[in-house]
Amino acid sequence: SQQGEEDPQALSIQEGENATMNCSYKTSINNLQWYRQNSGRGLVHLILIRSNEREKHSGRLRVTLDTSKKSSSLLITASRAADTASYFCATVAGNTPLVFGKGTRLSVIA
Amino acid sequence: EPEVTQTPSHQVTQMGQEVILRCVPISNHLYFYWYRQILGQKVEFLVSFYNNEISEKSEIFDDQFSVERPDGSNFTLKIRSTKLEDSAMYFCASSEGRGVTYEQYFGPGTRLTVT
């Protein structure tokens, strides 16, 4: 399976610190997407990185992709309490649907 | 900004009853999806839909499930005879296309509770 798996499972940081979450997957992919989910709510698309890209930025988010290691990282800089959520990576291979990992629960303490 | 909407936000039903979950995808999107998330578990793919037919489905999507696009805007998921294990959050998603550069946009979900 191409499942993405995030680590750590849970992360607790102080407001203003940076948060780094990692995702590993098993098969070749076309793209990898990161989503945020506030408790009991819907999935919000954060960023998509294609397999031929190595790094992408969006505001305070920075995503890297290393296809040789089959891994990606999501960095949130200068975290805020509002960033508290679960973060999921999801991979796409060919025309397959998104395959999600279990997510990282991020708590940002004010 | 366009968004995917879902109704109802919460549905409680008794085992054996039929439920219909509704979604309005983003208007210019062509691909539609249903996913589910059992509490505390991963988001799992159920089915994808394009050009008025199912393009892909998972093992979860058995004969108890069906999807329909009854008009130009709605996309529905029907569960014919609900089971306790169908209790989950159901997410609808849509995308403009498929492939390398197309994001899937998710609705806020419908929480289905089967008692």
Side-chain angles (χ1 to χ4, degrees):
Chain A
S1 114
Q2 66 182 81
Q3 290 172 326
E5 297 292 343
E6 297 89 341
D7 89 274
Q9 290 187 335
L11 180 61
S12 184
I13 60 173
Q14 297 288 326
E15 206 167 28
E17 294 181 336
N18 295 342
T20 300
M21 289 159 272
N22 302 297
C23 168
S24 60
Y25 56 91
K26 294 178 182 176
T27 65
S28 296
I29 59 170
N30 291 108
N31 70 54
L32 186 145
Q33 304 181 35
W34 284 92
Y35 287 83
R36 184 185 74 226
Q37 183 181 35
N38 289 69
S39 181
R41 305 288 295 277
L43 294 157
V44 175
H45 187 272
L46 296 176
I47 201 163
L48 179 154
I49 187 164
R50 291 180 285 186
S51 61
N52 63 351
E53 296 176 312
R54 292 296 165 256
E55 189 170 312
K56 209 161 179 182
H57 296 256
S58 177
R60 293 183 296 112
L61 305 180
R62 174 178 165 247
V63 168
T64 63
L65 180 65
D66 187 335
T67 52
S68 66
K69 294 180 180 177
K70 292 187 170 56
S71 68
S72 172
S73 68
L74 170 68
L75 169 68
I76 303 174
T77 59
S79 62
R80 306 167 182 166
D83 294 329
T84 295
S86 290
Y87 291 82
F88 297 89
C89 69
T91 53
V92 173
N95 281 325
T96 60
L98 288 171
V99 178
F100 284 84
K102 291 182 181 176
T104 292
R105 285 190 317 278
L106 174 66
S107 298
V108 181
I109 302 163
Chain B
E1 186 175 326
E3 57 183 18
V4 177
T5 59
Q6 290 185 243
T7 53
S9 57
H10 191 188
Q11 173 98 44
V12 181
T13 189
Q14 289 191 327
M15 199 166 52
Q17 295 295 306
E18 173 184 287
V19 294
I20 297 176
L21 310 183
R22 291 183 166 79
C23 168
V24 179
I26 293 172
S27 61
N28 65 331
H29 284 188
L30 301 176
Y31 293 83
F32 315 116
Y33 313 85
W34 284 100
Y35 292 80
R36 79 170 186 192
Q37 184 182 33
I38 294 171
L39 187 64
Q41 297 189 24
K42 293 184 183 185
V43 176
E44 302 172 289
F45 167 75
L46 292 178
V47 66
S48 59
F49 193 84
Y50 169 70
N51 201 25
N52 283 319
E53 60 183 29
I54 290 173
S55 51
E56 211 164 353
K57 61 183 181 179
S58 72
E59 291 174 353
I60 303 167
F61 194 88
D62 61 22
D63 292 343
Q64 293 297 314
F65 292 88
S66 63
V67 289
E68 196 177 36
R69 188 152 162 82
D71 53 44
S73 58
N74 289 286
F75 179 50
T76 62
L77 174 70
K78 182 193 289 187
I79 309 175
R80 274 182 253 287
S81 178
T82 50
K83 304 169 195 164
L84 293 176
E85 54 264 37
D86 293 328
S87 293
M89 187 78 113
Y90 287 80
F91 294 106
C92 173
S94 69
S95 64
E96 207 173 337
R98 290 192 84 171
V100 176
T101 59
Y102 292 105
E103 302 99 338
Q104 290 185 26
Y105 292 91
F106 283 73
T110 292
R111 182 171 299 283
L112 176 65
T113 303
V114 182
T115 61

